[in-house]
Amino acid sequence: MNRFFGSSGGTRVHSRPPRVAMIMLGFVVIILLGALLLMLPFATRAGETTTFLGALFTSTSATCVTGLVVYDTWTHWTLFGQVVLLCLIQIGGLGFITIGSFAMILLRKKIGLAGRELIRESLNTLQLKGSVRLVWRIIKGTALFEGVGAALLCIRFIPKLGFPRGLWYGIFHSVSAFCNAGFDLMGYTGEYSSFVSFANDPLVVLVLSALIIIGGIGFLVWEDLLEHKWHWRYYRLQTKIVLSVSGTLLAGGTLLFLISERNGLFADCTAGEALLQAFFSAVTPRTAGFNTVDTAALSNAGKIITACLMFVGGSPGSTAGGIKTTSLFVIALHIKAYLLREPHCTAFKRRLNDDTIRRASVIFFINFSLALGAILVLLIGQDLPLADVIFEAFSAIGTVGMSTGITRELNTLSRIVIMALMFLGRVGSLSFAMSFTERRRDSHMTYPEEEIVAG
């Protein structure tokens, strides 16, 4: 690790392994280590060894902060197993590069140029300057938000479950919500029930929602808000886009769920209960994975709305997955500019460069193609309902964790496909693809231009 976080000395930076490959390798090592720990007999309540595939699936889901599970977390795993999962969730949510950098800071080790490049790559920041300071702010902010969230959740859990267990529940669910992981210990109310029993509890629902939203808006947005407070005109363009799109998706999603489920899941709810459940249904696909309603009982319209929100996900440099709010905004802006024959894509009196537009389009295409390919494999390999398979695939690529219940029914090939989607959704499908071309030489040849009919 000193090779990347220590002083660069006389070694040239470009002689080291590609940064993206380094990040992916780190995630693979953590996933495998987590799987081995979960296979230990005392990690399960039955005292038996969990199969390698089952442990690997669970470890992948936790490290990639997804939440898809083949075993109910409370009924299958002991306290040791739950602690392992919580560590994997925290590492996966913040990124092992961030945690490793923080450890080097505590040890007063100098973080060299290569280490700062790794931080920039892992956090999706645009510049190298201030990367160490950003790591400090991320760790302190995470501790603050998770600590406050745990304390608030304990108000509800300790009276119901007693002090030791209630405290553990507060900590576990605060970390899981902030990291957008979706793992829960609510199996004591019924296996795979998530927070259905707390659907009408404003304290639990709103605290979880706040943690999910804060964790999903991105660390760069935190920094901007911290520096400029409520002065909108001083925010970076990215902050303005993230806040605008996130607010629109939350408000629009809530309204759409109220309409689509008014004669279904919300038929017997009061206006306040329906609003609370609709709001959480709009929050959790961004990519937390909890649910306060029976996901399998959603209307077809509700499932489509959820799938769309899962595909978008959170924002860059956050604990969330998906194509990100910025990509959605850039693509929509590009379409608008083309239809109106505008020369440039502009937002908030700023012009977007062509590379940003190409990157957003490629991310959208790759993620959608991966999800579509996975859907075909799952349908060919097993006789499963189409709507449920689509839901599962979008949940995996968006690292959401919501499921209609088919995760436990998947065969070996289907589970491997879902694991691949979760991994690519966490490390970034575009980053994965570019890791194979990072050393490609630039071509100095320019070919003649010729037009074709595109549509």
Side-chain angles (χ1 to χ4, degrees):
M1 187 66 76
N2 284 334
R3 182 182 180 189
F4 288 91
F5 290 105
S7 177
S8 56
T11 305
R12 298 197 309 183
V13 173
H14 63 73
S15 65
R16 298 185 173 107
R19 296 184 297 275
V20 174
M22 174 68 181
I23 293 171
M24 289 191 295
L25 179 61
F27 272 105
V28 170
V29 171
I30 293 168
I31 289 170
L32 291 176
L33 178 60
L36 293 176
L37 291 174
L38 292 175
M39 288 180 67
L40 296 174
F42 51 83
T44 65
R45 292 185 183 275
E48 301 174 353
T49 302
T50 302
T51 65
F52 175 70
L53 183 62
L56 183 65
F57 189 98
T58 305
S59 180
T60 302
S61 183
T63 307
C64 297
V65 288
T66 304
L68 291 174
V69 294
V70 290
Y71 310 109
D72 180 78
T73 306
W74 185 80
T75 57
H76 184 81
W77 304 108
T78 61
L79 179 61
F80 172 80
Q82 293 169 18
V83 170
V84 170
L85 289 176
L86 190 66
C87 292
L88 293 175
I89 289 169
Q90 189 72 86
I91 294 171
L94 295 183
F96 73 95
I97 298 295
T98 301
I99 294 176
S101 301
F102 180 66
M104 297 300 293
I105 293 171
L106 290 180
L107 295 173
R108 300 184 181 277
K109 300 290 185 179
K110 182 179 179 181
I111 299 179
L113 179 61
R116 294 170 190 264
E117 284 284 1
L118 274 173
I119 295 172
R120 185 193 65 78
E121 189 74 46
S122 65
L123 295 178
N124 285 326
T125 61
L126 297 174
Q127 57 186 11
L128 210 59
K129 182 181 178 181
S131 55
V132 175
R133 182 186 63 184
L134 180 59
V135 168
W136 260 112
R137 287 182 172 179
I138 289 172
I139 297 298
K140 290 191 291 186
T142 299
L144 173 64
F145 293 128
E146 290 181 349
V148 172
L152 292 174
L153 291 175
C154 282
I155 294 174
R156 184 65 73 240
F157 290 136
I158 288 178
K160 290 177 69 69
L161 305 171
F163 184 80
R165 187 175 166 192
L167 177 63
W168 172 239
Y169 268 54
I171 295 171
F172 187 96
H173 293 109
S174 180
V175 174
S176 184
F178 178 81
C179 291
N180 281 219
F183 278 78
D184 66 81
L185 303 177
M186 293 296 133
Y188 75 95
T189 64
E191 288 191 345
Y192 310 102
S193 60
S194 193
F195 284 90
V196 172
S197 60
F198 291 89
N200 300 317
D201 188 323
L203 174 64
V204 173
V205 171
L206 294 179
V207 169
L208 292 177
S209 297
L211 288 169
I212 293 166
I213 293 169
I214 293 170
I217 61 174
F219 304 127
L220 290 178
V221 175
W222 289 10
E223 189 176 42
D224 216 4
L225 294 175
L226 184 63
E227 289 183 2
H228 301 117
K229 304 300 186 291
W230 303 108
H231 301 291
W232 174 269
R233 65 182 181 278
Y234 296 131
Y235 292 162
R236 299 186 186 99
L237 176 60
Q238 176 164 319
T239 300
K240 293 178 180 179
I241 292 174
V242 166
L243 295 179
S244 299
V245 176
S246 297
T248 300
L249 290 177
L250 288 174
T254 301
L255 179 61
L256 289 174
F257 277 114
L258 282 172
I259 296 172
S260 65
E261 304 302 324
R262 67 187 187 282
N263 297 321
L265 288 176
F266 303 157
D268 299 326
C269 296
T270 65
E273 291 172 347
L275 179 61
L276 188 65
Q277 293 182 29
F279 175 70
F280 194 75
S281 295
V283 170
T284 191
R286 308 287 316 286
T287 56
F290 296 131
N291 57 281
T292 56
V293 297
D294 183 3
T295 305
L298 283 170
S299 65
N300 289 330
K303 289 180 180 178
I304 292 174
I305 296 167
T306 304
C308 291
L309 292 174
M310 290 193 296
F311 188 68
V312 175
S315 302
S318 72
T319 61
I323 65 169
K324 306 296 188 296
T325 52
T326 49
S327 294
L328 175 67
F329 184 87
V330 169
I331 292 171
L333 203 64
H334 182 53
I335 293 172
K336 168 184 167 290
Y338 184 83
L339 292 177
L340 298 180
R341 300 187 181 278
E342 296 173 347
H344 304 291
C345 289
T346 58
F348 302 104
K349 298 181 179 181
R350 292 292 185 272
R351 178 169 58 87
L352 301 178
N353 61 45
D354 292 339
D355 187 61
T356 300
I357 298 170
R358 285 195 295 267
R359 182 181 179 87
S361 301
V362 170
I363 289 173
F364 182 96
F365 179 79
I366 291 178
N367 278 31
F368 188 81
S369 299
L370 287 171
L372 181 60
I375 290 168
L376 292 175
V377 173
L378 265 62
L379 289 175
I380 292 172
Q382 289 183 265
D383 184 19
L384 296 169
L386 175 60
D388 293 348
V389 170
I390 293 174
F391 199 93
E392 194 85 1
F394 276 91
S395 179
I397 193 64
T399 68
V400 181
M402 298 184 72
S403 176
T404 57
I406 68 169
T407 308
R408 305 180 298 279
E409 303 173 13
L410 299 177
N411 58 26
T412 300
L413 176 60
S414 297
R415 289 188 182 183
I416 292 173
V417 169
I418 293 298
M419 281 192 288
L421 285 183
M422 291 190 292
F423 180 78
L424 293 175
R426 181 64 186 93
V427 302
S429 54
L430 178 59
S431 297
F432 178 78
M434 292 184 68
S435 68
F436 296 102
T437 60
E438 195 164 4
R439 293 180 180 273
R440 183 181 63 82
R441 294 181 179 179
D442 293 331
S443 175
H444 298 289
M445 182 181 296
T446 302
Y447 293 100
E449 182 180 288
E450 183 174 345
E451 292 187 0
I452 64 170
V453 178

